[in-house]
Amino acid sequence: MSGAHFHSVLVTGANRGIGLEMVKQLLGLREPPKWVFATCRDPHGGKSQELRSLASKHPCLVILQLESTDEASIKAAAKEVEVHLAGSGLNLLINNAGVMPPSTLESVDKEDMLSVYRINLIGPMLVTQAFLPMLKTAAKRSNRKGLSCSRAAIINVSTIGSSIGRPPSMATFPVISYRCSKTALNMLTRCQALEYKDDGILCVALHPGWVKTEMGTEKAELTVQESVQGIIQVLSSINEEKNSRLVDWEGRIVPW
């Protein structure tokens, strides 16, 4: 692994699946971040037990309540993160929270589409807006040149299913609202990259692979551990060359 070091990381949707495994592997790095902020909708619920257990062993792990479609919840989480960071800025924001309800071209309706867009697109947009000042601070304070996750970065978890240039078949990936929402997230990432490059913030959309999780099903190709191992490697080495692109868990560019 590269010598990259993440001083502070925030992961949304961190109580299960890829988000939880990301927190585990970040904490297990030879040089773990000084701060890992793990957000979820219900930090005190049964589905967050494993996250709470990790926090009891790692003082650098802070669990925060954050509902990505609730602006008050996002602002409250941002204030708490700011207190912990004490002016040092946030290096890495990973917008991982999302939903993938089944839907076909025949079954999807207006409410399905709007609901998924609110969570998968508007959620990351609002979260990024709230934490942007901290990302700008981290980039400004860093002595690193160029763009990297060690300096300041926004990583939006996307999918190969969002690709217009290389789309998987409908038979293998029949989730219309999810695919459309993630294609929109790719454009948001592209716009963020155009806007924030001069602030020193890297912006990348990330395809984690087809992973055996609650969302990915048991038919998937990768274990969550394998996917996140690849993601951490990518985050450790990714740079300006792949700014604004959709990149997979092995660092390969996926056609838009």
Side-chain angles (χ1 to χ4, degrees):
M1 183 175 288
S2 129
H5 175 64
F6 318 118
H7 176 268
S8 55
V9 184
L10 186 142
V11 183
T12 67
N15 64 327
R16 64 188 177 102
I18 291 170
L20 178 60
E21 183 62 26
M22 218 174 279
V23 169
K24 288 180 183 177
Q25 293 199 26
L26 285 167
L27 294 172
L29 290 174
R30 187 175 59 190
E31 281 189 83
K34 181 176 179 181
W35 295 108
V36 176
F37 301 100
T39 82
C40 57
R41 286 181 293 179
D42 184 9
H44 306 293
K47 292 183 178 179
S48 301
Q49 178 57 50
E50 193 169 357
L51 194 56
R52 293 196 299 272
S53 178
L54 278 172
S56 69
K57 300 168 191 169
H58 298 275
C60 66
L61 174 58
V62 178
I63 304 173
L64 300 168
Q65 195 280 330
L66 189 152
E67 168 54 70
S68 64
T69 59
D70 181 344
E71 292 185 69
S73 166
I74 296 168
K75 288 175 182 176
K79 282 185 180 178
E80 195 167 340
V81 169
E82 203 161 20
V83 169
H84 285 284
L85 292 176
S88 61
L90 178 68
N91 295 105
L92 180 54
L93 170 62
I94 302 175
N95 283 310
N96 166 71
V99 294
M100 189 175 68
S103 61
T104 66
L105 286 168
E106 288 74 27
S107 70
V108 69
D109 61 27
K110 179 178 70 173
E111 290 310 315
D112 292 336
M113 192 68 82
L114 289 172
S115 173
V116 173
Y117 263 70
R118 275 193 289 269
I119 296 166
N120 290 357
L121 172 67
I122 298 172
M125 179 191 78
L126 294 174
V127 170
T128 300
Q129 287 173 345
F131 288 94
L132 182 61
M134 286 173 255
L135 289 161
K136 287 183 176 181
T137 296
K140 195 176 293 186
R141 289 173 56 91
S142 176
N143 56 14
R144 293 175 181 266
K145 303 300 179 187
L147 302 179
S148 72
C149 291
S150 296
R151 186 180 181 194
I154 299 161
I155 305 296
N156 293 321
V157 176
S158 186
T159 172
I160 195 170
S162 69
S163 172
I164 294 172
R166 198 177 83 202
S169 74
M170 294 302 297
T172 58
F173 212 51
V175 280
I176 300 305
S177 54
Y178 176 76
R179 290 174 71 148
C180 292
S181 70
K182 292 295 189 176
T183 302
L185 181 66
N186 294 346
M187 176 53 81
L188 177 66
T189 307
R190 190 81 161 186
C191 293
Q192 289 169 337
L194 290 168
E195 184 75 11
Y196 304 140
K197 180 180 179 181
D198 290 344
D199 294 307
I201 301 172
L202 176 74
C203 302
V204 172
L206 178 70
H207 166 51
W210 189 19
V211 185
K212 296 180 196 294
T213 64
E214 193 176 313
M215 282 175 62
T217 81
E218 282 301 312
K219 296 178 183 177
E221 301 164 341
L222 292 170
T223 66
V224 68
Q225 292 83 6
E226 290 167 336
S227 169
V228 173
Q229 281 171 9
I231 290 169
I232 298 291
Q233 290 276 10
V234 169
L235 297 181
S236 298
S237 60
I238 202 166
N239 56 30
E240 193 161 347
E241 178 189 349
K242 291 174 180 172
N243 189 43
S244 86
R245 305 304 297 268
L246 173 57
V247 176
D248 75 6
W249 65 286
E250 293 182 298
R252 298 170 300 197
I253 291 174
V254 178
W256 287 120

